[in-house]
Amino acid sequence: MKQSFYDLSYADLERVVSENDFNGSVARILFNWYYKKKEITQCQGDISKLSLAFFEQNYDFSLPEIDKVYESKDRTVKFLFKLKDNHKVETVLIPFNNKYSICLSSQVGCAMNCSFCFTGEQGLKRNLKTSEIVGQFLQAWRWLAVNRPGEERILNIVFMGQGEPLHNFDAVKKACEIFLSQYGFSIGVQKITISTAGYIPGLKRWSEEIPRVNLALSLHSPFEEKRNELIPINKKYPLDEVLTYIDKIPLNKKQFITYEYILIKDFNDDPDDAEKLGMLLADRCAYINLIPFNSFPGSRYTSPDMDKVEKFKEVLDAFKIPTLIRGTKGDDVLAACGQLNSNSQQAVDFLYPVSRMGT
Ligand code: SAH
């Protein structure tokens, strides 16, 4: 089987070009064609027939197939992608002022098994390849270009879809390198955020290898026992160790860590929880995202009352920690946080496809 072109970082591509004695500009022209222009046809740039034939023969340029598209009333778009081995993953485009953030998946399923997350119910099937991560972006961009022309502006990338990105570090890192490359997507480093449940081996690599990429930690409870219930890997990598680790990371002036906190009714939504959370984060360079729990078919928890959410925020405001209540987007098509589960018949029954598009 041919290697995917979209698995090559710019450095990899330069190596292939030099090993084959092609003109030094070939890597730049290919990146420009496929990533800056986002073309899917054969490269029409100024490169020799010989080098073009070499890439056509040796590399696969196909992208993950769009199996289904769900459009929410609030213009959120959820894609179900079919991969070569028939596994499926989901990607979400979240709109704001005719621009979009893209929520990418990093694994098929997830090994973290968080008790509040629909994806975790699937277990981990496999890691995604770099090409399958970059491919989600390219296909979503192309769908916008065709279906919402003029709106194909995806300005932020968040690794908050299916999977634990730091558990698939190599592929995620290479995808970030491709997104960041000045010859390709040229996305600013402050526009990419990797969200983790607190997987310390990956955190270590992140801090050494791509520390300028933003980090979000799914915190969800400052109390050991509650966090153990929500995020089982907390037993192996407890929150205090994760935080000690994060504290050592030298952040630049504009950088801060985002702490995500899901609010679950009568579980972690009391002022006491907020007080303890405030104490934990007050002296840290923190930004808090409060996420009202999104229910899904069969979920054991329920969404909090909005007045409790507001109260929770007030307690944090007193600690002077910037806190945002994240609105729920796309929940009518199960595209909101934690509602992604590409395998569930329940989810399929719950949803209805409003459009369908092949590649
Ligand atoms: N594994 C990574 C990234 C995937 S989850 C992580 O744990 O951070 C991305 C965000 O969605 C996390 O903050 C996660 O806790 C949140 N999330 C998961 N299930 C949710 C649900 N049912 N309701 C609201 N947020 C949820």
Side-chain angles (χ1 to χ4, degrees):
M1 213 166 68
K2 288 185 198 174
Q3 191 190 358
S4 171
F5 174 81
Y6 308 105
D7 277 324
L8 300 174
S9 67
Y10 191 72
D12 295 336
L13 187 54
E14 275 190 315
R15 206 171 313 117
V16 174
V17 166
S18 101
E19 276 166 12
N20 289 281
D21 291 330
F22 295 138
N23 189 308
S25 63
V26 167
R28 193 168 36 78
I29 292 168
L30 288 173
F31 253 51
N32 186 63
W33 184 259
Y34 290 106
Y35 296 135
K36 206 175 268 307
K37 295 196 159 141
K38 301 178 187 65
E39 295 287 352
I40 40 170
T41 52
Q42 193 184 59
C43 179
Q44 310 283 314
D46 186 19
I47 62 174
S48 69
K49 284 215 168 75
L50 196 70
S51 46
L52 202 56
F54 170 86
F55 281 100
E56 288 299 317
Q57 262 163 35
N58 292 289
Y59 289 91
D60 176 9
F61 287 86
S62 66
L63 291 166
E65 187 186 323
I66 298 179
D67 192 37
K68 289 192 179 76
V69 182
Y70 304 98
E71 292 180 80
S72 159
K73 284 188 245 129
D74 63 20
R75 296 175 63 75
T76 297
V77 190
K78 181 166 90 165
F79 299 91
L80 185 64
F81 285 106
K82 191 160 142 197
L83 308 174
K84 288 228 160 67
D85 57 3
N86 289 329
H87 274 125
K88 302 209 172 144
V89 287
E90 292 175 328
T91 305
V92 183
L93 282 173
I94 305 147
F96 58 99
N97 305 331
N98 292 344
K99 302 181 197 87
Y100 292 86
S101 286
I102 191 164
C103 179
L104 297 176
S105 290
S106 55
Q107 297 178 313
V108 182
C110 185
M112 300 296 122
N113 199 21
C114 297
S115 59
F116 52 83
C117 180
F118 202 17
T119 306
E121 291 189 355
Q122 281 179 257
L124 177 65
K125 299 290 188 312
R126 71 166 172 87
N127 282 331
L128 291 186
K129 293 194 269 176
T130 296
S131 51
E132 292 166 331
I133 298 172
V134 173
Q136 294 171 56
F137 187 112
L138 285 172
Q139 286 289 57
W141 187 94
R142 184 148 295 282
W143 184 90
L144 283 175
V146 172
N147 295 280
R148 298 183 185 176
E151 284 188 33
E152 57 278 31
R153 280 175 298 171
I154 305 177
L155 299 190
N156 290 288
I157 298 177
V158 294
F159 282 90
M160 294 185 187
Q162 287 164 304
E164 165 54 46
L166 294 185
H167 196 213
N168 181 17
F169 191 84
D170 289 322
V172 168
K173 177 186 168 190
K174 199 172 264 196
C176 288
E177 286 169 352
I178 294 173
F179 290 133
L180 294 170
S181 168
Q182 56 170 317
Y183 303 115
F185 291 98
S186 205
I187 286 172
V189 71
Q190 71 285 0
K191 303 283 186 198
I192 306 180
T193 302
I194 291 180
S195 179
T196 180
Y199 181 66
I200 287 186
L203 207 50
K204 188 165 180 312
R205 288 198 58 192
W206 172 81
S207 67
E208 286 163 2
E209 299 174 40
I210 44 171
R212 297 282 81 91
V213 171
N214 291 315
L215 187 79
L217 176 72
S218 292
L219 202 150
H220 308 329
S221 177
F223 297 107
E224 181 96 11
E225 270 184 29
K226 282 193 203 178
R227 196 166 190 268
N228 282 345
E229 178 177 331
L230 296 172
I231 308 177
I233 63 149
N234 191 61
K235 292 177 206 144
K236 188 155 182 202
Y237 305 117
L239 181 61
D240 54 347
E241 277 179 38
V242 172
L243 290 177
T244 310
Y245 206 88
I246 290 177
D247 288 346
K248 287 192 201 142
I249 297 165
L251 298 175
N252 73 22
K253 277 196 192 118
K254 284 190 194 154
Q255 234 180 332
F256 49 81
I257 305 285
T258 301
Y259 294 91
E260 291 156 287
Y261 191 97
I262 294 188
L263 283 156
I264 299 171
K265 187 176 183 160
D266 299 333
F267 182 82
N268 66 353
D269 61 346
D270 262 1
D272 283 356
D273 296 278
E275 188 77 27
K276 177 88 176 173
L277 181 67
M279 275 154 50
L280 193 66
L281 298 181
D283 294 331
R284 295 186 153 96
C285 200
Y287 186 102
I288 300 178
N289 256 340
L290 293 179
I291 314 167
F293 171 73
N294 294 314
S295 57
F296 50 84
S299 58
R300 71 172 99 156
Y301 303 115
T302 38
S303 306
D305 299 329
M306 257 348 253
D307 58 333
K308 273 214 127 166
V309 175
E310 297 288 348
K311 244 216 177 108
F312 201 94
K313 181 177 177 326
E314 275 167 29
V315 175
L316 294 171
D317 287 345
F319 283 92
K320 302 204 164 25
I321 307 173
T323 303
L324 185 87
I325 299 172
R326 206 152 80 188
T328 300
K329 289 214 168 177
D331 59 341
D332 54 334
V333 293
L334 285 192
C337 289
Q339 294 183 309
L340 304 180
N341 181 323
S342 38
N343 254 359
S344 164
Q345 191 54 44
Q346 278 169 303
V348 174
D349 293 344
F350 187 82
L351 298 171
Y352 54 95
V354 291
S355 63
R356 200 184 165 94
M357 182 180 141
T359 39

